[in-house]
Amino acid sequence: MLTVNMLDAKTSLSKLVDAVENGSESEIVIARNGKPAAKLVPIDVPPRKKRRLGLLAGKYPPMDFEAFQAMDAEIEATFLLGSKET
């Protein structure tokens, strides 16, 4: 555990944060007039969840390119239903 006085902490804050962030220091105590005033510690970040690929595999029927293109007219009609062409 590293202890740093307030003036040194002000002038080298980014270095102190880097030290805590990369794990070279587990915590840093900032002292005022020789007495501990604050503690700089890393934030606990939960590990990122793994993404599952193919989650919807088999839930929808297979569609070939021609069937996909055939849906264009239906989709266009849905979006243009309320609008008038000029």
Side-chain angles (χ1 to χ4, degrees), residues 9-67:
K10 285 171 65 174
T11 58
S12 62
L13 181 61
S14 61
K15 289 179 184 177
L16 296 175
V17 171
D18 286 341
V20 170
E21 225 174 15
N22 68 26
S24 61
E25 293 290 339
S26 60
E27 62 183 39
I28 297 172
V29 174
I30 300 172
R32 178 180 295 165
N33 298 327
K35 295 180 182 177
K39 189 186 316 184
L40 185 61
V41 295
I43 294 177
D44 292 331
V45 179
R48 208 180 242 189
K49 292 182 181 178
K50 292 183 179 180
R51 293 185 181 183
R52 291 181 47 204
L53 299 177
L55 188 62
L56 298 177
K59 294 205 179 213
Y60 297 99
M63 184 179 293
D64 61 355
F65 185 71
E66 289 78 23

